[in-house]
Amino acid sequence: MADASAETRDGVITRTPEEAEAVQKRRAEADAIDRELVQKAQAGDRTALGELLHKYGPGLYRSILLPRLGNKTAATEALAETYAKVVANIGKFVWQNVGFYPWLRTVALRVALDQLRAKKRLVLFEEDDLAREVDAAQTETPVEQQLSDQRDREAARRKVDDALGEIHPRYARAIRLRILEEKPRDAVATELGVSPATFDVLLHRAVASLKKTLGRATEGRDSDG
Amino acid sequence: MVDRDDKKREPSATREASVPDIDPDAPPSADEVAASECLRDALADPSVPNHDAELARSLRAAFAPAAIAAAAHDDIVDDVPTADELALADELRAALEDLGGGGDNGGDEPDLVRALGAAWRPGEIGKTDHDALVAKATKDLAASNSDNEGAKIIPFARRRAGIAAVATGILALAASVFLFITTSDRSGLRPSAPLARARSTQPLFGEPFKAGDQSKPGDASARIDKIAVARASDYRDNRFRKWGVR
C-alpha cells in the first residue's frame, strides 16, 4: 500500500506527485463506497451499518479508546456506547467530503470523555486531555484513518513518556523495561542489578511513585479549577 | 629508645623489613613528602582513595565510633520493604503475569500498569467481541426503523378533509389579521438607538489586573463578577432594543 510505505516525519506524510494522485484516487473511491454505505445505513440498512462499523471500529478501539481509558473492559464498553450513539445519530450525519471516520472518531472521543468523568479512575489520560482532543477533533482529524490512528497513538506514547519523565530515572527504567517493553521479570532484575524479589519491590515503588505523581497533577488542577 | 629485648618480641621479620627503622625527626625524603601530602588530602576528603587514610579511619572507627547520621539511617530504613509493600509488590507481580491473559485484576497499581501498557502498546479488540458489538448495534438500528415503520397512518376521510380545509382557512385568516396588527403596532417602536457593541472591559477598572497577585485574594473573582454584570447589562439592553421597547 502506498499509504503504508509513504515516508512520515512529524506526523506529515510526504509523497511524490504520482503517489499523491494514486492516494487521492483511492480515497475518492473509498469515499464513494462509504457515502453509499452511510446513505443505506441512514435508510435503515443493517448490513451497510455493519460494514461501516467493521471497517472503522477496531481502529477506533485500538487508537482512541484503549489508550485513553486504560483497560479492555472500559474500552469495550465505550465502543459499544459509541456504536449506540452512531445508531441513534446516523440520521443526523451530513456527508461533508471528509468521510465518515472523523465523525466516528469525534463520537468516540466524547464517549471516552464521558466515561472518564463518570468513573474517576486513576488513568494516564485525564478529562482535560480528552476535552482538548474533542475540541480539536472537529477541525483537526485527518481524513485518512491511517494517519489519524498514527497521530493518536503517538499522542498516547508522548503521554507515557511525559509521565515517566516526572519520576526517578531508575523507577522509570524499571517501568519501561518490565511494563512497556514487557521483558521477563528475571531479565529486568538482572539488567537493573538486583534480585527478582528486590525487583518486585522496586517496581511496586516505581508504580506507587508514578501514581503519586499523576495524583498530584490531578489534585493541582482540581484545586486550580 | 626501644629495649633490645622488646625488639626481639616484634611479630615477624617481614614487618621489620617493611618498616625501616627511621629516626622520626630525620629530614624527609622527596617520596615521603609526596606520600604525606597524599595522606593529608585523603584524610581531609574521604572520597580521595588512599590506603593509609582508610587504615587511619578504621583506627578511628574502632577507637571512637561515630553515630549514624539520622538522614542516612532514614534512607536505610526506607529501603527495607515493609510487609505491606511486599504484599503489594506480590500483587503487582501476579497482575503483571496475568496481563497477557487479559485479566482485569482490581487495585490501583494493576489498573495503572494496565493503563500504561494500553497507552504504549494497545492491543486489538477480539474478533468475537467486536462482532457481538456490531451485531447489537445493527439490531438496534433495525429496531429503531421498525418502530418508525410501525407508526399508524390514519386515513383521511373525504368529509373530514372538507371540515379540516375550512377550519384551516379560518385559522389562517385570523393569523394574518393578528400579524398585520402586531407589525403595524411595532413599526412605531423600532429602535432608534444603536445596539451595544463588543468592546474592551478595561474602562471598568481603575488599574490593570495582575494575574497571580496573592496580596489581593478574591480580586480575580470580583473582576469577573464586574465584567459579567456589564456584559449582562449590554445583553439585556440589546434584547430590549431589538424588541423595540427602548
Side-chain angles (χ1 to χ4, degrees):
Chain A
M1 279 175 66
D3 285 8
S5 62
E7 188 185 341
T8 63
R9 204 176 63 189
D10 299 333
V12 177
I13 296 182
T14 53
R15 297 189 177 102
T16 63
E18 293 78 22
E19 282 175 341
E21 194 180 335
V23 167
Q24 216 161 9
K25 191 179 168 196
R26 202 169 41 250
R27 193 187 299 156
E29 288 167 2
D31 273 0
I33 293 170
D34 281 0
R35 191 168 189 175
E36 194 182 334
L37 288 174
V38 168
Q39 282 169 349
K40 285 182 177 174
Q42 286 175 327
D45 186 334
R46 294 170 55 175
T47 313
L49 179 70
E51 262 190 68
L52 282 169
L53 298 184
H54 275 301
K55 185 174 179 182
Y56 294 115
L60 204 62
Y61 171 91
R62 193 175 180 203
S63 304
I64 300 280
L65 299 173
L66 186 54
R68 280 151 188 79
L69 296 174
N71 72 60
K72 292 177 182 176
T73 310
T76 307
E77 272 176 29
L79 189 61
E81 180 63 24
T82 302
Y83 287 173
K85 287 197 183 302
V86 168
V87 168
N89 295 297
I90 187 85
K92 295 176 196 164
F93 173 69
V94 180
W95 188 270
Q96 290 177 325
N97 290 332
V98 290
F100 181 66
Y101 184 72
W103 181 71
L104 190 62
R105 179 177 176 270
T106 307
V107 174
L109 280 171
R110 285 184 191 281
V111 169
L113 177 58
D114 288 345
Q115 265 211 13
L116 277 187
R117 280 184 178 147
K119 295 199 173 169
K120 295 281 178 199
R121 290 164 46 244
L122 183 63
V123 289
L124 205 56
F125 278 79
E126 290 145 20
E127 288 177 33
D128 288 353
D129 300 316
L130 263 289
R132 269 195 298 276
E133 287 188 313
V134 168
D135 286 344
Q138 316 284 341
T139 52
E140 292 175 14
T141 302
V143 176
E144 284 179 58
Q145 185 188 9
Q146 188 193 12
L147 180 56
S148 182
D149 285 355
Q150 184 188 328
R151 285 189 187 172
D152 285 330
R153 280 187 223 165
E154 280 170 2
R157 285 197 165 201
R158 262 200 310 278
K159 188 79 186 158
V160 174
D161 280 334
D162 289 349
L164 294 185
E166 294 288 314
I167 60 176
H168 192 284
R170 189 163 164 79
Y171 285 161
R173 190 153 173 243
I175 288 176
R176 203 174 278 281
L177 291 172
R178 179 74 179 109
I179 297 170
L180 304 185
E181 295 178 16
E182 294 179 339
K183 287 190 175 177
R185 168 180 174 245
D186 291 359
V188 180
T190 306
E191 207 167 326
L192 292 176
V194 293
S195 70
T198 305
F199 170 71
D200 289 343
V201 174
L202 180 70
L203 186 63
H204 151 67
R205 286 178 176 170
V207 174
S209 170
L210 183 63
K211 200 172 73 174
K212 199 171 166 184
T213 305
L214 291 174
R216 210 166 38 223
T218 308
E219 277 170 21
R221 259 189 306 283
D222 288 349
S223 62
D224 287 348
Chain B
M1 293 299 288
V2 180
D3 188 302
R4 184 170 281 275
D5 289 342
D6 288 339
K7 267 191 176 177
K8 279 180 186 170
R9 285 198 293 274
E10 283 287 324
S12 68
T14 316
R15 172 174 281 192
E16 280 175 17
S18 64
V19 182
D21 194 8
I22 301 170
D23 178 0
D25 297 322
S29 66
D31 286 349
E32 281 182 312
V33 171
S36 66
E37 284 173 355
C38 285
L39 178 60
R40 182 198 63 207
D41 293 345
L43 285 173
D45 180 2
S47 67
V48 175
N50 186 290
H51 289 302
D52 292 346
E54 281 171 25
L55 177 64
R57 273 191 282 275
S58 69
L59 285 173
R60 173 73 194 165
F63 181 72
I68 186 169
H73 187 250
D74 287 349
D75 285 347
I76 293 170
V77 171
D78 286 348
D79 278 348
V80 178
T82 63
D84 283 350
E85 276 189 312
L86 287 172
L88 286 169
D90 200 44
E91 188 184 306
L92 182 60
R93 183 187 51 73
L96 273 169
E97 282 169 6
D98 194 34
L99 282 185
D104 267 357
N105 293 7
D108 277 356
E109 285 182 17
D111 266 357
L112 186 55
V113 166
R114 218 169 276 124
L116 282 170
W120 192 258
R121 189 180 295 142
E124 306 276 358
I125 187 169
K127 188 177 181 311
T128 318
D129 289 345
H130 190 247
D131 286 350
L133 294 182
V134 173
K136 185 180 180 311
T138 52
K139 194 176 157 193
D140 290 346
L141 178 72
S144 68
N145 277 329
S146 65
D147 285 350
N148 292 339
E149 284 164 11
K152 282 187 178 176
I153 298 170
I154 301 168
F156 217 53
R158 187 177 289 271
R159 196 164 59 86
R160 284 183 184 164
I163 295 167
V166 172
T168 309
I170 293 168
L171 280 173
L173 187 64
S176 64
V177 170
F178 176 75
L179 197 64
F180 173 76
I181 293 167
T182 51
T183 50
S184 59
D185 280 347
R186 281 194 177 193
S187 61
L189 295 170
R190 286 269 172 225
S192 54
L195 299 179
R197 303 191 69 85
R199 62 184 186 280
S200 165
T201 55
Q202 191 56 53
L204 295 172
F205 307 100
E207 58 187 69
F209 179 61
K210 289 175 188 162
D213 187 354
Q214 302 296 326
S215 65
K216 295 180 181 173
D219 195 21
S221 297
R223 194 175 176 90
I224 289 167
D225 286 348
K226 206 166 181 181
I227 293 170
V229 167
R231 295 289 191 225
S233 170
D234 285 354
Y235 176 72
R236 204 168 40 245
D237 287 349
N238 283 349
R239 296 295 297 178
F240 287 150
R241 283 187 183 122
K242 277 195 163 180
W243 291 335
V245 295
R246 276 194 190 174

